[in-house]
Amino acid sequence: MMKFNRHRRLRTSAGMRELVRETFLRPSDFIYPIFFVEGENVRKEVPSMPGVYHISVDLVKEEVQELVDLGIKSIIVFGVPDHKDHVGSEAYHDHGIVQRATLEIKKHFPELVVIADTCLCQYTDHGHCGIVEDGEILNDESLQLLAKTAVSQARAGADIIAPSNMMDGFVIAIREALDEAGFVHVPVMSYAVKYASAFYGPFRDAAHSTPQFGDRKTYQMDPANRLEALREAQSDVEEGADFLIVKPSLSYLDIMRDVKNEFTLPVVAYNVSGEYAMVKAAAQNGWISEKELVLEMLTSMKRAGAELIITYHAKDAAKWLSE
Ligand code: PBG
């Protein structure tokens, strides 16, 4: 008889498969994104993201209670302000939408870990993530405003600051500003490796943050590059980041693994809006089994090295895991 290995021995029953399973998902792996808008009693579905809502700050209690009941421990807060201007003033205003939402959430749910997305693109009339002059996105001039935004978010009670703007030096600028303002204990979850991706389309609808001219390719990364991801992550580690986000997820699992192997900080996968929208569209057409597909995708991110996953599927996935 020819000699070969019998791998199927370890797959003979559900119990056996469970014994040898290497990767597990838990509700506490998920970070749920919430989009806050101005107004009262607003709960409006984002058309390209079925199941995701624009909600006003007064409705936050119900929304967050559901998450807490499902065992989700953390949310990331995005603001969609009514007022935009050239320098994104609403981003660093103490009464800005993220600041108000954060205050309200922490008042009712002190245990929930609230992460504030720190960027200017939802707040600027040109839709870029930094200051613009003569059609150029200025780096160093933007850092000061990002740092100011982070401090005001921390003052509102944000537990973690998550800068997503991809300016150079944003981690150290924010770290120093937080320290100076007395927030030495507030970690920075850096969008360290963020590609210029078509997968952000639905988010830009949801956040009203599409650039009004040009694109983000002078600050977000080229999807063709791998070593550059390690250089980006290295800088953020040196500048004092506490978590490293890789974004998007599905087309970048190789990068997630590289970052995991190279650094010891917790790695966070951002399962972005376009990835979510594709799944939802296929599910609505009955073309895929949503539950199995989503759990498979989320598992693949953990297997690729992510400790945490920012995902719009968080609520559904947490429900499915408890079934
Ligand atoms: C803001 C920001 C974006 C996302 C998160 N923060 C959009 C962008 O960079 O254009 C994308 C999230 C998603 O697609 O789910 N800079």
Side-chain angles (χ1 to χ4, degrees), residues 187-256:
V188 174
M189 181 184 279
S190 171
Y191 287 69
V193 180
K194 179 172 177 180
Y195 286 91
S197 171
F199 283 101
Y200 308 148
F203 174 95
R204 291 183 189 168
D205 283 349
H208 305 158
S209 65
T210 307
Q212 298 304 301
F213 69 90
D215 51 39
R216 302 212 204 286
K217 290 181 184 164
T218 66
Y219 45 109
Q220 299 181 349
M221 285 177 49
D222 181 344
N225 293 353
R226 183 173 173 194
L227 296 175
E228 191 185 2
L230 294 177
R231 295 200 295 273
E232 277 283 0
Q234 175 81 44
S235 297
D236 288 10
V237 170
E238 286 165 5
E239 290 175 33
D242 300 282
F243 299 81
L244 300 172
I245 301 179
V246 175
K247 179 183 173 189
S249 288
L250 291 175
S251 296
Y252 300 88
L253 294 175
D254 55 335
I255 307 297
M256 225 172 270

Side-chain angles (χ1 to χ4, degrees), residues 77 98-107 114 153 156-158:
V77 175
V98 165
Q99 289 80 351
R100 272 184 287 130
T102 303
L103 260 175
E104 191 66 14
I105 297 163
K106 291 304 288 187
K107 191 166 88 192
V114 176
Q153 292 168 333

Side-chain angles (χ1 to χ4, degrees), residues 14 27 42 137-138 157 164 229 231 275:
V42 184
I137 294 92
L138 303 181
S164 61
R231 295 200 295 273
E275 297 169 338

Side-chain angles (χ1 to χ4, degrees), residues 34-86:
I34 305 185
F35 296 101
F36 286 101
V37 291
E38 305 285 356
E40 268 173 41
N41 214 18
V42 184
R43 193 169 194 275
K44 202 163 153 251
E45 198 170 37
V46 176
S48 53
M49 302 176 74
V52 172
Y53 294 83
H54 275 159
I55 71 165
S56 50
V57 175
D58 58 320
L59 298 187
V60 73
K61 215 173 149 191
E62 282 165 58
E63 182 75 14
V64 175
Q65 187 63 52
E66 189 190 352
L67 297 167
V68 171
D69 293 343
L70 286 166
I72 294 167
K73 307 282 183 211
S74 176
I75 60 170
I76 180 161
V77 175
F78 293 96
V80 188
D82 280 347
H83 174 73
K84 296 177 192 262
D85 60 28
H86 214 59

